[in-house]
Every structure is written in structure tokens, then in C-alpha cells.
Amino acid sequence: MNKKALITGVTGQDGSFLSEFLLAKGYEVHGIIRRSSVDFRERIAHLEGKPNFHLHYADMGDSMSLVKLVGKVQPTEIYNLAAQSHVQVSFDAPEFTADVDAVGVLRILEAVRTNHLEKSCKIYQASTSELYGKVEEIPQNEQTPFHPYSPYAVAKLYGYWIVKEYREAYDMFCCSGILFNHESERRGETFVTRKITLAAARIAQGNQDCLYLGNLDSKRDWGYAKDYVECMWLILQHPTPEDFVIATGVQHTVREFATLAFHYAGIELRWEGEGINEIGIDVKTGRTVVAVSEDFYRPTDVVNLLGDPTKAKTELGWNPSKTSFEELVRLMTEHDMAKVAGEGVAAKVRMNLAEYLEKGIVK
Ligand code: NAP
Ligand code: G4F
């Protein structure tokens, strides 16, 4: 049978890497996009026009669009990655987050049932380590109790349980990957890692003075997104539908991430002070280049995530140490150093052009 994947959230970080991965495996890939006033599809622009890559308008909040699309595509695998995925934003838009991240999962499951594809279509649900929230044990594995600690996590908890319920009630092949944080050069710019690597690059090149962060003590198990999408696929190739923790088993603080990113950008940091008064100083110039702002504190913050990937390692044969923390920070920082340098050149060209037009040197 031809392998046909439908990816919700195809424009996101994971959706773009997963599309590349599945196309390389010979899949026909279909992705859901939604209407926006600016068509910003940077992460998948290089895939558009490929014969096996197709985009369709639909929305996780619109059942009818999902039912019609699933019926039209007749996928053999669905990867449900679409979500309002920013934890801090979920405190400001909790209802929207619940609609997309919780009820959206139900809509996908029902779209499969409505089209009578329960026995031919496997479903992967993008679950999250945020379910462990105010953690009850360290490290966290498939048996660790959940304690969601944000509107995002509560919505994702519904997604997790409804997937389990449909698996048991209707014998569907649907599973959750409980993924710990995974980052890349394609990570959204308001997540802490990308915010840091971009700022380190801008500060190193004289385009920004200071980076403002929230909780520097927060600990995360950070992996590389490109390695993690392979696991999403492996979960659906497993003989039985099961849930898996996907993590590296290594933990670092936000402060450690920042120290290393600035190092790769050519700036050595020294930390002084505590809490809201903590600052990161450029050892060479004595300038404060990192400071703490309450604006980035959360009403409840998840501060100690560390995953135990033993089950994924032994049952899926997945390698959690493919990309080390150091390599991840280096590749993201190097990418952003080049991006910022490119922006500088483009700005200079625009300035020169404006000047030449004004002086009539070019018309
Ligand atoms: P991301 O970059 O924020 O991408 C989210 C995707 O969801 C985007 O394509 C977005 O489309 C789409 N989307 C949002 N609302 C939608 C709606 N109403 N209808 C249709 N599409 C909608 O997220 P990511 O980092 O790739 O993460 C992928 C999934 O894994 C998410 O479900 C996230 O919650 C989960 N997860 C991520 C991590 C991580 O560390 N990255 C860890 C655990 C779980 P637009 O481009 O149009 O906004
Ligand atoms: O990068 P973050 O925003 O990621 P967070 O909250 O862990 O969520 C990400 O990973 C989850 C998996 O565990 C996914 F489910 C979710 O979709 C998303 O991809 O924040 C990481 C930590 C937090 O503790 C936060 O308080 O960094 C801390 N932090 C400190 N300063 C900051 C900042 N976070 C952000 N976004 N911005 C800051 O300035």
C-alpha cells in the first residue's frame, strides 16, 4: 500500500522536519495550512512544488474542514502536530489553547472514524513533557504521574487521555509521543533557546545591547528536533500502539544554555547577583548583556524536566544521544550568527539603494 501521511502543523518546526523525513522515505505527504494575512511558510518553502508534497487549507478548530480533508486524502498515517504550542501564551489565551490543543485532537480522531478509516489509519499525537509539570519524580518515564502546570499542559493532558480512550474503546492505532523539549535552527523565536541564540548573535555583531530573560534556574532536557521526528515515525511503525517518552536523559539550566550560546557567539559570560537582580556580564568588555525581567516569569513554571528514554531506546531502537547538548547549542548559534550577518548585509544594500535612488545614481 502507498504510504500517505497527513501532517497537521506542517508549517511548524517539527512539521517541516517530519515532512522532509517522510518524503525521503517515499511517502506522499499532505499538510494542513491555515489562512493568515501574511503567508509565512518559511520552514516548508523548499518543499512546495515537490510532486509528493501537497498543502490543504483546514483548521484544528473547524471539524468540517478536517472531516472533508481526511476523507479526501485517505491517509495511512496522521501526525497531529498542530497546536498553540507556547506555554506562556496559554496563560493569555487559555480558551483558544484548549480548543486547538485538546478538542482539536478529538476532532482528528472523529474525522478518522467518520471516514471509517479506524483500521487503516494510524495516528500519532504530539504529547509533551509538560504533562509532568510540577514534577512528582525525577527522571520522568511512561509511568510517572502527571501534574500539568499550565493551561497548555491541561489541554495536552486531554489530548493524551482521549487518544488512549479511542485506542481502548475503538481499537484504533493511536499513540502519544511524550516529547521533551526539542530545538533547532527552525525553532520559533520566542522559545527560550532560539531567543537566546538569536540575541547572542545580535549582541556579538553589535545589533542588540541586552537580552532579557525570565527564570534562569529552570531545567530542561533539550534535544535536537531533527532526531525527534524520526521517533514519531518509529512509534507508528511499532507492532502495537503504545505511548513513548522521547528525551535525551540529560538536563541543563537556562543559564547554562545562555553561557554556551554566548561562548559560541564569541562572548564569555560571568554571572552576578541573584533572582530578578541576576545579570550576565561580558567578561571582555564588562558590559551587562543578559538581565532578568519579570515579564518572562510565568504564573506557574515547570522547572525540572528530565526524561528517561529507556523504553524508546530498547523498544524502538532510537538513539537519544545522536546530537549532544553542546552540538545543539553550537549549530543553533552558528546558524543565527550567519542569519544576523546576512540581515546586516541586506540592510546595508537597502540603505545604499535608498541613497542612490535619492541622488538619482540609479533609477
Ligand atoms: P510550532 O513550531 O509552534 O508549530 C505549531 C504548528 O501548529 C504550526 O504549523 C501552526 O500553524 C499549527 N497550528 C496552530 N494552530 C492551528 C490551528 N488552529 N489549525 C491548524 N494548524 C494550527 O510547534 P513545534 O515545536 O513544531 O511542535 C509540534 C507539536 O509538538 C506541537 O503540538 C507541540 O505542542 C508539541 N510539542 C513540542 C515540543 C517541542 O519542544 N518543540 C515538545 C513537546 C511537544 P501556523 O504556522 O499557521 O501558526
Ligand atoms: O522555551 P520555553 O518557552 O519552552 P517550554 O515552556 O518548556 O515549552 C516548550 O517545550 C514543551 C515540552 O516540555 C512543549 F510542550 C511546548 O510546546 C514548548 O515547545 O521555556 C523553557 C523554560 C521555561 O521554564 C521558562 O520559564 O525557560 C524559561 N524561560 C526563562 N526565560 C523562558 C524565558 N522562556 C521563554 N519562552 N522566554 C524567556 O525569556
Coordinates of all heavy atoms in Angstrom, one line a residue, residues 257-292:
F257 N 22.5 27.1 29.1 CA 22.2 27.3 27.7 C 22.8 28.6 27.2 O 23.5 28.7 26.2 CB 20.7 27.1 27.3 CG 20.5 27.0 25.9 CD1 20.2 25.8 25.3 CD2 20.6 28.1 25.0 CE1 20.0 25.6 23.9 CE2 20.4 28.0 23.7 CZ 20.1 26.7 23.1
A258 N 22.5 29.7 28.0 CA 22.9 31.0 27.6 C 24.4 31.1 27.6 O 25.0 31.7 26.7 CB 22.2 32.0 28.5
T259 N 25.0 30.6 28.6 CA 26.5 30.7 28.7 C 27.2 30.1 27.5 O 28.1 30.7 26.9 CB 27.0 29.9 30.0 OG1 26.3 30.5 31.1 CG2 28.5 30.1 30.2
L260 N 26.6 28.9 27.1 CA 27.3 28.2 26.0 C 27.0 28.9 24.6 O 27.8 29.0 23.8 CB 26.7 26.8 25.9 CG 27.5 25.7 25.2 CD1 29.0 25.7 25.6 CD2 26.9 24.3 25.3
A261 N 25.7 29.4 24.5 CA 25.4 30.1 23.2 C 26.3 31.4 23.1 O 26.8 31.6 22.0 CB 23.9 30.5 23.2
F262 N 26.4 32.1 24.1 CA 27.3 33.3 24.1 C 28.7 32.9 23.8 O 29.4 33.6 23.0 CB 27.2 34.2 25.3 CG 26.0 35.1 25.3 CD1 24.7 34.7 25.6 CD2 26.2 36.4 24.9 CE1 23.6 35.6 25.6 CE2 25.1 37.3 24.9 CZ 23.8 36.9 25.2
H263 N 29.1 31.8 24.3 CA 30.5 31.3 24.1 C 30.7 31.1 22.6 O 31.7 31.5 22.0 CB 30.8 30.0 24.9 CG 32.0 29.3 24.5 ND1 33.3 29.7 24.8 CD2 32.1 28.2 23.7 CE1 34.1 28.8 24.2 NE2 33.4 27.9 23.6
Y264 N 29.7 30.4 22.0 CA 29.8 30.1 20.5 C 29.7 31.4 19.7 O 30.1 31.4 18.5 CB 28.8 29.0 20.1 CG 29.1 27.6 20.6 CD1 28.2 26.9 21.3 CD2 30.4 27.1 20.3 CE1 28.5 25.6 21.7 CE2 30.7 25.8 20.8 CZ 29.8 25.1 21.5 OH 30.1 23.8 21.9
A265 N 29.1 32.4 20.3 CA 29.0 33.7 19.6 C 30.2 34.5 19.8 O 30.3 35.7 19.3 CB 27.7 34.4 20.0
G266 N 31.2 34.0 20.6 CA 32.4 34.7 20.9 C 32.4 35.6 22.1 O 33.3 36.4 22.3
I267 N 31.4 35.4 23.0 CA 31.4 36.2 24.2 C 31.4 35.3 25.4 O 30.5 34.4 25.5 CB 30.1 37.1 24.2 CG1 30.1 38.1 23.1 CG2 29.9 37.8 25.6 CD1 28.8 38.8 22.9
E268 N 32.4 35.5 26.3 CA 32.4 34.7 27.6 C 31.6 35.5 28.6 O 31.8 36.7 28.8 CB 33.8 34.5 28.1 CG 34.7 33.8 27.0 CD 34.1 32.4 26.5 OE1 33.5 31.7 27.3 OE2 34.3 32.1 25.3
L269 N 30.7 34.7 29.3 CA 29.8 35.4 30.3 C 30.3 35.1 31.7 O 30.7 34.0 32.0 CB 28.4 34.9 30.2 CG 27.5 35.3 29.0 CD1 26.1 34.8 29.1 CD2 27.5 36.8 28.8
R270 N 30.1 36.2 32.6 CA 30.3 36.0 34.0 C 28.9 36.4 34.7 O 28.3 37.4 34.3 CB 31.4 36.9 34.5 CG 31.7 36.7 36.0 CD 32.8 37.7 36.4 NE 32.4 39.0 36.7 CZ 32.8 40.1 36.0 NH1 33.8 40.0 35.1 NH2 32.4 41.3 36.3
W271 N 28.4 35.5 35.6 CA 27.1 35.8 36.2 C 27.3 36.4 37.6 O 28.1 36.0 38.3 CB 26.3 34.5 36.3 CG 26.0 33.9 35.0 CD1 26.7 32.9 34.3 CD2 24.9 34.2 34.1 NE1 26.1 32.6 33.1 CE2 25.0 33.4 32.9 CE3 23.8 35.1 34.2 CZ2 24.1 33.5 31.9 CZ3 22.9 35.1 33.1 CH2 23.1 34.3 32.0
E272 N 26.4 37.4 37.8 CA 26.5 38.1 39.2 C 25.1 38.3 39.6 O 24.2 38.5 38.8 CB 27.2 39.5 39.0 CG 28.7 39.4 39.1 CD 29.4 40.8 39.0 OE1 28.7 41.8 39.2 OE2 30.6 40.8 38.8
G273 N 24.9 38.4 41.0 CA 23.6 38.6 41.5 C 22.7 37.4 41.6 O 23.1 36.3 41.2
E274 N 21.4 37.7 42.1 CA 20.5 36.5 42.2 C 19.1 36.9 41.8 O 18.7 38.1 41.9 CB 20.5 36.2 43.7 CG 21.4 35.0 44.1 CD 21.4 34.7 45.6 OE1 20.3 34.7 46.1 OE2 22.5 34.6 46.1
G275 N 18.3 36.0 41.5 CA 16.9 36.2 41.2 C 16.7 37.3 40.1 O 17.4 37.3 39.1
I276 N 15.8 38.2 40.4 CA 15.5 39.3 39.5 C 16.7 40.2 39.2 O 16.8 40.9 38.2 CB 14.2 40.1 40.0 CG1 13.7 41.0 39.0 CG2 14.6 40.8 41.3 CD1 12.9 40.4 37.9
N277 N 17.7 40.2 40.2 CA 18.9 41.1 40.0 C 20.0 40.4 39.4 O 21.1 41.0 39.3 CB 19.3 41.6 41.4 CG 18.2 42.4 42.1 OD1 17.6 43.2 41.4 ND2 17.9 42.1 43.3
E278 N 19.9 39.2 38.9 CA 21.0 38.5 38.3 C 21.3 39.1 36.9 O 20.4 39.4 36.1 CB 20.7 37.0 38.1 CG 21.9 36.2 37.6 CD 21.7 34.7 37.8 OE1 20.7 34.2 38.4 OE2 22.6 34.0 37.3
I279 N 22.6 39.2 36.6 CA 23.0 39.7 35.3 C 24.1 38.8 34.7 O 24.9 38.2 35.5 CB 23.5 41.2 35.3 CG1 24.5 41.4 36.5 CG2 22.3 42.1 35.4 CD1 25.1 42.8 36.5
G280 N 24.2 38.8 33.4 CA 25.3 38.2 32.7 C 26.2 39.2 32.1 O 25.7 40.1 31.4
I281 N 27.5 39.2 32.5 CA 28.4 40.2 32.1 C 29.4 39.7 31.0 O 29.9 38.6 31.2 CB 29.2 40.8 33.3 CG1 28.2 41.4 34.3 CG2 30.2 41.8 32.9 CD1 28.8 41.7 35.7
D282 N 29.6 40.5 30.0 CA 30.6 40.2 29.0 C 32.0 40.4 29.7 O 32.4 41.5 30.0 CB 30.4 41.1 27.8 CG 31.5 40.8 26.7 OD1 32.5 40.2 27.0 OD2 31.3 41.3 25.6
V283 N 32.7 39.3 29.9 CA 34.0 39.3 30.6 C 34.9 40.3 30.0 O 35.6 41.1 30.7 CB 34.6 37.9 30.7 CG1 36.0 37.9 31.3 CG2 33.7 37.0 31.5
K284 N 34.9 40.4 28.7 CA 35.9 41.2 28.0 C 35.6 42.7 28.1 O 36.5 43.5 28.4 CB 35.9 40.8 26.5 CG 37.2 41.2 25.8 CD 37.3 40.3 24.5 CE 37.8 41.2 23.4 NZ 37.6 40.5 22.1
T285 N 34.3 43.1 27.9 CA 34.0 44.5 27.9 C 33.5 45.0 29.2 O 33.4 46.2 29.5 CB 32.9 44.8 26.8 OG1 31.7 44.0 27.2 CG2 33.4 44.3 25.5
G286 N 33.0 44.1 30.1 CA 32.4 44.5 31.4 C 30.9 44.9 31.2 O 30.3 45.3 32.2
R287 N 30.4 44.8 30.0 CA 29.0 45.2 29.8 C 28.0 44.2 30.2 O 28.3 43.0 30.1 CB 28.8 45.5 28.3 CG 29.3 46.9 27.8 CD 29.0 47.1 26.3 NE 27.8 46.5 25.9 CZ 27.7 45.7 24.8 NH1 28.8 45.5 24.0 NH2 26.5 45.2 24.4
T288 N 26.9 44.6 30.7 CA 25.8 43.7 31.0 C 25.1 43.3 29.7 O 24.5 44.2 29.0 CB 24.8 44.3 32.0 OG1 25.5 44.6 33.2 CG2 23.6 43.4 32.3
V289 N 25.1 42.0 29.4 CA 24.5 41.6 28.1 C 23.3 40.7 28.4 O 22.5 40.4 27.4 CB 25.5 40.9 27.2 CG1 26.4 42.0 26.6 CG2 26.2 39.8 27.8
V290 N 23.1 40.2 29.6 CA 21.9 39.5 29.9 C 21.3 40.0 31.3 O 22.1 40.3 32.2 CB 22.2 37.9 30.1 CG1 20.9 37.2 30.3 CG2 22.9 37.4 28.9
A291 N 20.0 40.2 31.3 CA 19.4 40.7 32.5 C 18.0 39.9 32.7 O 17.5 39.3 31.7 CB 19.1 42.2 32.5
V292 N 17.5 40.0 33.9 CA 16.2 39.2 34.2 C 15.1 40.2 34.2 O 15.2 41.4 34.7 CB 16.3 38.5 35.5 CG1 15.0 37.9 35.9 CG2 17.4 37.4 35.5

